[in-house]
């Protein structure tokens, strides 16, 4: 604790109140608490003294002659945001005093109900509170800066992965094209083993192409601007199902759409979520005799939760944290094709909406994927 | 609080300032004539307000109560642009006299009754 004196400016019109304050401070003085009191009996005098500097804190009466109540406080406060202000109000002015605190005063005192100890406590408290406020403001500024840096780094990474994937396409096209020519025009000359090896080259090429497209899709997500609207989830889900049936009329999965509350989000992106989750559900339950895919949802407090459930091959919960990572797969390529980007896309979209995504599964019993989207905030 | 009254110098400041304020109040009440006059009302308000605060500080609770009622009346008149009727002004003058007597620690008999009558001015 500093032993130096606290220089307090008292802005008070009443001669008695001024004397009384002096006396209270003298009573409360100790080796750790010493106050140098300066007095101003008018707002203008007070402001002038403040402008000369050296004041550590202000005791301000809210009923001065030239101004009124809150305006009094605002004038002094705008003059100096570095110096803590404690306002003094009358017995019935608690509301006014609290408004002053809301607008930046560190504390308030009720005239006629103050003694030396209370005054001392209020002064010391106000000084500490002001310091704490400054610390928080500084931390906030630093956070903002770091946020900006992070944003910039993120953008660079997105641009990088986009351009790399993009630039990989051209040479890949060459490999794909020429290996196809080889296979079509020189296949006979290659012989059995040669044809098999070329086949593996072409498979690898296809897979690489898929990977590149997936990375591109993922990185495009980062740049897109989100436009939120009210979405009829039941309609969107049946769109997805129509798409699935159209691309595979033989699809034997049974779909159960339960009641779905409307959501608030970017329709294209939410469509992407549903497409990914539902086609995953279809894919991983393909081996069942009766694959069943259930889609449902419910309204919650501040957010709506939706789920896609299947009775397919499931997964071990031990590895659930891997499920949403890019290229992480919980099943081998032989069992089920895929690059492991679908869930990463879902997660990124959900997070960009400010929502959450999680999953439950049991080996051999199927899996349920949940996502929650925040509801529209009522303004 | 009794320690304050022991402080002779401080009490002198209290007596002088409060007496000055009461005198000012009386002067302004005389000019009121029942019409709205924001400037005068504001001065009256601030007089009552200051006396209220300082009497509270020295433990003159009865004086604090009377000036609290007066302050309320002046504030309501100002905020709601209500005229102080010519029938009310004598009551206010009487209250100012009462304040003087309370300040001098004189015997007063109509304290409670006066407070009641003040409450009836511009009731909530």
């Amino acid at each position: 604790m500093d032993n130096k004196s606290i220089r307090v400016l008292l802005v008070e019109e009443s001669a008695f109140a001024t004397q009384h304050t002096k006396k209270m401070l003298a009573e409360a003085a100790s080796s750790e608490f010493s106050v140098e009191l300066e007095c101003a009996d008018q707002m203008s005098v007070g402001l002038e003294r403040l402008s000369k500097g050296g004041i550590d804190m202000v005791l301000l009466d809210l009923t001065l002659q030239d101004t009124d109540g809150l305006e009094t406080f605002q004038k002094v406060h705008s003059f100096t945001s570095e110096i803590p202000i404690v306002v003094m109000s009358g017995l019935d002015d608690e509301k006014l005093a609290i408004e002053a605190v809301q607008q930046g005063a560190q504390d308030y005192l009720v005239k006629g109900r103050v003694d030396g100890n209370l005054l001392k406590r209020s002064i010391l408290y106000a000084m500490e509170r002001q310091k704490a406020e400054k610390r928080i403001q500084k931390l906030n500024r630093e956070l903002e800066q770091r946020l900006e840096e992070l944003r910039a780094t993120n953008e660079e990474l997105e641009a990088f992965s986009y351009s790399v994937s993009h630039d990989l396409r051209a040479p890949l096209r060459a490999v794909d094209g020429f290996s196809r020519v080889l296979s079509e025009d020189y296949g006979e000359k290659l012989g059995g083993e040669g044809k098999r090896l070329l086949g593996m080259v072409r498979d690898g090429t296809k897979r690489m192409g898929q990977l590149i497209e997936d990375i591109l899709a993922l990185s495009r997500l980062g740049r897109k601007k989100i436009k939120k609207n009210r979405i009829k989830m039941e309609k969107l889900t049946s769109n997805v199902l129509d798409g699935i049936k159209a691309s595979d009329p033989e699809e034997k999965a049974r779909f159960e759409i339960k009641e779905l509350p409307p959501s608030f989000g970017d329709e294209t992106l939410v469509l992407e979520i549903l497409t990914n989750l539902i086609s995953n559900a279809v894919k991983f339950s393909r081996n069942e005799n009766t694959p069943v895919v259930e889609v449902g949802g419910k309204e919650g407090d501040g957010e709506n939760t939706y789920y896609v459930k299947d009775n397919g091959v499931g997964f071990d919960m031990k590895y659930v944290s891997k499920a949403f990572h890019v290229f992480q797969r919980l099943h081998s390529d032989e069992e089920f094709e895929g690059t492991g980007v679908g869930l990463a896309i879902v997660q990124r979209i959900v997070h960009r909406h400010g929502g959450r995504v999680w999953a439950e599964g049991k080996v051999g019993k199927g899996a349920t994927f949940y996502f929650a989207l925040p509801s529209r905030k009522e303004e | 609080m009794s320690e304050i009254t022991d402080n002779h110098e401080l009490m002198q400041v209290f007596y002088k300032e409060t007496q000055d304020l009461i005198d000012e109040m009386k002067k302004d009440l005389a000019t009121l004539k029942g019409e709205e006059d924001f400037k005068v009302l504001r001065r009256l308000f601030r007089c009552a307000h200051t006396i209220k605060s300082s009497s509270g500080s020295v433990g003159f609770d009865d004086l604090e109560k009377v000036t609290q009622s007066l302050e309320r009346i002046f504030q309501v008149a100002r905020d709601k642009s209500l005229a102080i009727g010519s029938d009310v002004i004598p009551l206010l003058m009487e209250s100012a006299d009462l304040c003087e007597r309370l300040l001098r620690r004189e015997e007063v008999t109509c304290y409670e009754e006066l407070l009641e009558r003040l409450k009836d001015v511009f009731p909530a």
Side-chain angles (χ1 to χ4, degrees):
Chain A
M1 179 72 210
D2 284 27
N3 277 350
K4 85 170 167 81
S5 252
I6 304 175
R7 190 161 285 271
V8 176
L9 176 66
L10 172 66
V11 188
E12 165 66 70
E13 274 176 353
S14 154
F16 167 75
T18 304
Q19 291 294 7
H20 185 213
T21 305
K22 274 197 186 127
K23 181 170 181 295
M24 286 193 285
L25 288 173
E27 275 169 10
S30 69
S31 52
E32 290 108 27
F33 179 70
S34 135
V35 166
E36 294 275 339
L37 188 67
E38 292 193 33
C39 306
D41 62 358
Q42 273 178 69
M43 166 81 91
S44 47
V45 177
L47 292 179
E48 210 199 301
R49 175 61 191 86
L50 273 175
S51 62
K52 297 209 177 92
I55 298 290
D56 296 319
M57 78 161 277
V58 178
L59 283 174
L60 176 65
D61 180 63
L62 285 179
T63 355
L64 297 176
Q65 187 178 68
D66 23 3
T67 53
D68 210 356
L70 214 51
E71 219 187 283
T72 311
F73 169 72
Q74 285 161 348
K75 275 207 186 108
V76 179
H77 187 55
S78 59
F79 210 77
T80 160
S81 61
E82 300 298 313
I83 305 178
I85 302 175
V86 169
V87 296
M88 296 179 303
S89 67
L91 196 52
D92 305 297
D93 287 332
E94 213 120 18
K95 193 159 166 275
L96 180 66
I98 290 179
E99 266 180 60
V101 170
Q102 282 168 348
Q103 293 202 9
Q106 298 302 342
D107 201 354
Y108 73 90
L109 293 167
V110 178
K111 294 175 78 171
R113 295 289 184 275
V114 179
D115 66 8
N117 277 324
L118 187 54
L119 185 55
K120 163 175 158 185
R121 188 211 75 93
S122 184
I123 290 176
L124 292 176
Y125 175 73
M127 306 277 294
E128 288 309 312
R129 197 166 181 266
Q130 174 88 357
K131 282 192 213 138
E133 247 177 46
K134 289 292 159 200
R135 275 199 295 270
I136 293 180
Q137 281 169 0
K138 182 161 177 277
L139 282 170
N140 269 358
R141 275 195 302 269
E142 286 168 12
L143 259 175
E144 289 283 355
Q145 222 177 335
R146 289 233 219 105
L147 205 62
E148 273 314 305
E149 285 168 20
L150 264 174
R151 266 195 213 115
T153 308
N154 253 14
E155 271 181 35
E156 279 174 33
L157 275 171
E158 296 285 359
F160 178 72
S161 69
Y162 184 85
S163 71
V164 163
S165 327
H166 195 266
D167 295 348
L168 284 173
R169 276 159 143 187
L172 186 62
R173 264 198 294 271
V175 173
D176 184 56
F178 290 124
S179 60
R180 184 154 44 101
V181 170
L182 257 181
S183 165
E184 287 169 4
D185 296 355
Y186 297 87
E188 294 315 314
K189 295 214 180 94
L190 285 173
E193 180 61 7
K195 273 207 277 215
R196 190 185 72 86
L197 290 171
L198 187 56
M200 290 176 66
V201 168
R202 294 201 39 75
D203 282 347
T205 314
K206 277 203 196 64
R207 182 162 176 79
M208 197 169 149
Q210 187 59 51
L211 274 166
I212 292 178
E213 292 309 311
D214 286 346
I215 297 180
L216 279 174
L218 197 57
S219 79
R220 263 191 219 109
L221 273 181
R223 290 113 125 314
K224 266 195 85 181
K225 254 196 130 48
I226 294 198
K227 248 197 328 217
K228 289 192 183 177
N229 279 312
R230 199 165 177 280
I231 303 176
K232 293 203 179 83
M233 290 298 268
E234 274 146 6
K235 186 166 181 303
L236 208 65
T237 307
S238 68
N239 283 354
V240 174
L241 298 184
D242 289 344
I244 291 180
K245 290 195 197 114
S247 62
D248 185 5
E250 312 239 314
E251 182 50 63
K252 61 178 176 168
R254 205 178 79 223
F255 296 99
E256 289 176 11
I257 312 185
K258 303 275 193 242
E259 220 179 275
L260 293 171
S263 70
F264 184 59
D266 184 306
E267 188 159 323
T268 317
L269 294 179
V270 175
L271 177 65
E272 182 82 12
I273 297 176
L274 287 171
T275 307
N276 272 304
L277 291 180
I278 295 177
S279 40
N280 266 5
V282 167
K283 180 165 74 178
F284 287 100
S285 58
R286 185 184 307 139
N287 297 335
E288 304 301 308
N289 289 328
T290 345
V292 177
V293 174
E294 185 186 315
V295 183
K298 75 167 188 269
E299 250 178 63
D301 192 12
E303 63 177 18
N304 288 349
T305 308
Y306 306 90
Y307 67 86
V308 174
K309 181 170 170 192
D310 69 76
N311 63 344
V313 72
F315 63 89
D316 189 339
M317 280 300 277
K318 223 174 21 187
Y319 305 114
V320 70
S321 54
K322 280 175 64 181
F324 294 98
H325 290 170
V326 185
F327 298 147
Q328 297 285 2
R329 306 205 61 218
L330 300 185
H331 302 87
S332 74
D333 216 22
E334 288 93 45
E335 298 175 273
F336 299 98
E337 86 288 1
T339 53
V341 139
L343 287 179
I345 289 181
V346 167
Q347 181 177 42
R348 187 171 293 199
I349 296 176
V350 173
H351 283 177
R352 283 205 73 204
H353 278 75
R356 307 171 293 128
V357 65
W358 67 102
E360 281 163 11
K362 217 159 173 195
V363 177
K365 293 282 198 310
T368 310
F369 284 80
Y370 301 88
F371 64 99
L373 295 174
S375 322
R376 171 186 241 141
K377 286 195 181 71
E378 295 301 330
E379 295 292 314
Chain B
M1 291 291 177
S2 57
E3 303 139 31
I4 298 193
T5 46
D6 288 343
N7 187 319
H8 181 75
E9 210 183 301
L10 189 58
M11 289 310 288
Q12 287 306 109
V13 179
F14 170 68
Y15 289 130
K16 178 160 189 322
E17 183 180 82
T18 308
Q19 183 62 56
D20 287 346
L21 286 166
I22 293 176
D23 291 340
E24 210 185 297
M25 240 186 356
K26 283 188 179 170
K27 258 204 316 219
D28 277 331
L29 281 172
T31 70
L32 249 187
K33 294 198 197 1
E35 289 153 14
E36 306 166 9
D37 187 337
F38 287 133
K39 272 216 193 91
V40 176
L41 280 174
R42 175 150 172 76
R43 271 205 309 269
L44 283 166
F45 169 80
R46 286 184 50 253
C47 281
H49 178 88
T50 308
I51 302 176
K52 179 183 85 172
S53 299
S54 38
S55 50
S57 300
V58 300
F60 281 34
D61 296 340
D62 39 17
L63 183 52
E64 187 188 45
K65 279 217 183 70
V66 177
T67 43
Q68 186 176 23
S69 289
L70 288 172
E71 183 199 56
R72 181 192 70 83
I73 291 172
F74 298 135
Q75 177 167 56
V76 171
R78 217 176 102 227
D79 289 350
K80 302 206 175 139
S81 292
L82 297 171
I84 294 190
S86 45
D87 52 325
V88 176
I89 296 182
L91 171 63
L92 299 177
M93 286 295 246
E94 227 184 291
S95 307
D97 283 333
L98 177 66
C99 286
E100 215 161 8
R101 298 220 294 282
L102 289 171
L103 180 64
R104 296 188 193 139
R105 300 323 244 162
E106 285 170 18
E107 276 271 329
V108 294
T109 46
C110 53
Y111 172 69
E112 295 290 348
E113 186 230 328
L114 201 81
L115 275 182
E116 278 303 310
R117 284 163 67 198
L118 286 173
K119 275 206 189 83
D120 289 335
V121 181
F122 305 146

